[in-house]
Amino acid sequence: LRASFSLIKDDHENPTGLITVLQDVTEQEAIEQERREFVANVSHELRTPLTTMRSYLEALADGAWQNEELAPRFIHVAQNETERMIRLVNDLLQLSRLDSKDFQLKKQMVNFTKFFDQIIDRFEIGKGDHFIFERAYSQRERFVMIDKDKITQVLDNIISNALKYSPEGGKIRFELVQKENNLYVRVTDDGVGIPKQDLAKVFDRFYRVDKARSRKMGGTGLGLAIAKEMVEIHGGQIWAESEEGKGTTITFTLPLEKEREEDFS
Ligand code: ADP
């Protein structure tokens, strides 16, 4: 329901009454409203890097290109902004494919323990000198039916956030827990954390706690929104727990496959 109020006044501007109009906002309208907001957000997100690039290119054209110290720095900024725009457009394409259901899940039986290890290995090789990686799970096999590319992206987004929002030297903890028929995949960092009131919103498209910080780290504000959709199409859930200044835990679930002998006979 949407409510609008109009005040009725007499000739002396004294209020004498109030008209209240209650309107039923249909689901269709809500979707339309969401779509408009999304387009406005996308336009804004694209304009920011473009205007930055324009001013640096203008400065170069106006003579900075001859300055040996400034020119490489300005070109570097333009390159970074281009990279971020490419990431943004790629993320948008992902989301639009997910929205239009124009995708196929290539599900296969995967031992998640081994799969998780390989993804963590990749980050550890790249960032092992700057962070401590703690694997808090046993090497037993845990089977799930997943599209490996999609869940790789979910983990990439969650782990790169843990690194982005943590101080150098921070610890990233990885856990796997089996409860009933679900596998709980958990990534914990000891970084800046997320304020309580923002915990649910960080999965919304373009929502960021600190816009400037996210931009500086090259973020698009879409990583967790994509992760959420991908987890949900696998029949799982995702959520965040956090204490400001202490750290953040992102958990998602995946339905476990029963490894019954007869399935393989
Ligand atoms: P971004 O590209 O901005 O990182 P995401 O969708 O991945 O976008 O995350 C949305 C927001 O959630 C981030 O801007 C950040 O404010 C917050 N966030 C996500 N992960 C973490 C984390 N591990 N620690 C602190 N804040 C986080």
Side-chain angles (χ1 to χ4, degrees):
L1 277 180
R2 186 194 284 148
S4 49
F5 305 97
S6 328
L7 209 52
I8 305 173
K9 293 174 183 170
D10 64 14
D11 296 343
H12 307 288
E13 290 289 302
N14 294 318
T16 56
L18 184 71
I19 298 177
T20 308
V21 181
L22 293 175
Q23 236 181 331
D24 189 11
V25 183
T26 62
E27 194 185 350
Q28 191 55 43
E29 268 182 86
I31 290 169
E32 186 56 26
Q33 168 81 8
E34 205 174 290
R35 196 193 62 80
R36 275 197 298 269
E37 263 167 41
F38 183 66
V39 172
N41 273 329
V42 170
S43 315
H44 181 77
E45 293 295 332
L46 284 171
R47 196 178 55 184
T48 310
L50 283 170
T51 51
T52 306
M53 278 164 64
R54 181 175 59 190
S55 51
Y56 280 86
L57 291 174
E58 260 168 22
L60 283 166
D62 286 347
W65 68 276
Q66 283 170 315
N67 184 318
E68 268 180 44
E69 201 224 327
L70 287 182
R73 271 170 45 200
F74 287 9
I75 291 169
H76 186 65
V77 173
Q79 278 176 323
N80 272 346
E81 291 300 302
T82 312
E83 287 304 323
R84 201 161 67 81
M85 252 184 347
I86 292 172
R87 268 202 302 281
L88 180 63
V89 172
N90 282 337
D91 282 356
L92 286 167
L93 282 171
Q94 284 273 10
L95 276 173
S96 100
R97 273 197 291 269
L98 289 166
D99 283 348
S100 67
K101 312 270 182 278
D102 172 29
F103 64 91
Q104 267 186 326
L105 279 186
K106 296 190 198 72
K107 278 196 185 179
Q108 53 176 305
M109 185 77 101
V110 171
N111 171 12
F112 199 87
T113 310
K114 196 165 138 233
F115 172 75
F116 201 34
D117 269 339
Q118 286 166 348
I119 289 178
I120 301 167
D121 284 346
R122 176 158 51 78
F123 277 94
E124 200 164 19
I125 289 164
K127 295 275 188 175
D129 295 343
H130 306 279
F131 293 91
I132 300 160
F133 290 73
E134 182 186 313
R135 301 180 204 212
Y137 52 88
S138 74
Q139 278 301 314
R140 60 169 295 188
E141 295 181 323
R142 300 165 177 93
F143 286 100
V144 286
M145 284 289 280
I146 55 167
D147 182 321
K148 282 172 96 173
D149 288 346
K150 297 229 161 23
I151 298 298
T152 297
Q153 212 192 333
V154 170
L155 284 166
D156 278 356
N157 291 353
I158 294 172
I159 300 171
S160 39
N161 280 345
L163 301 173
K164 267 187 339 204
Y165 302 105
S166 293
E168 175 119 6
K171 189 171 81 184
I172 318 290
R173 183 182 159 90
F174 301 91
E175 282 171 275
L176 293 177
V177 178
Q178 274 171 257
K179 230 188 284 176
E180 281 148 24
N181 294 328
N182 285 307
L183 177 64
Y184 288 63
V185 184
R186 203 163 267 153
V187 179
T188 301
D189 63 62
D190 50 18
V192 296
I194 302 171
K196 269 224 156 31
Q197 68 269 20
D198 296 313
L199 277 178
K201 293 188 220 151
V202 294
F203 296 96
D204 291 350
R205 295 173 183 193
F206 295 119
Y207 192 87
R208 293 129 153 165
V209 178
D210 179 344
K211 273 211 160 81
R213 187 191 180 107
S214 155
R215 283 227 177 82
K216 207 174 91 215
M217 304 302 298
T220 63
L222 293 174
L224 287 182
I226 291 174
K228 182 177 157 78
E229 300 219 12
M230 288 185 169
V231 166
E232 286 175 355
I233 55 177
H234 279 84
Q237 286 177 310
I238 186 167
W239 64 93
E241 290 156 288
S242 183
E243 205 175 320
E244 256 190 288
K246 289 259 173 73
T248 303
T249 298
I250 304 286
T251 307
F252 69 89
T253 62
L254 290 171
L256 274 168
E257 291 297 313
K258 291 185 197 69
E259 326 139 45
R260 277 184 311 217
E261 297 275 315
E262 59 264 31
D263 288 349
F264 299 103
S265 58

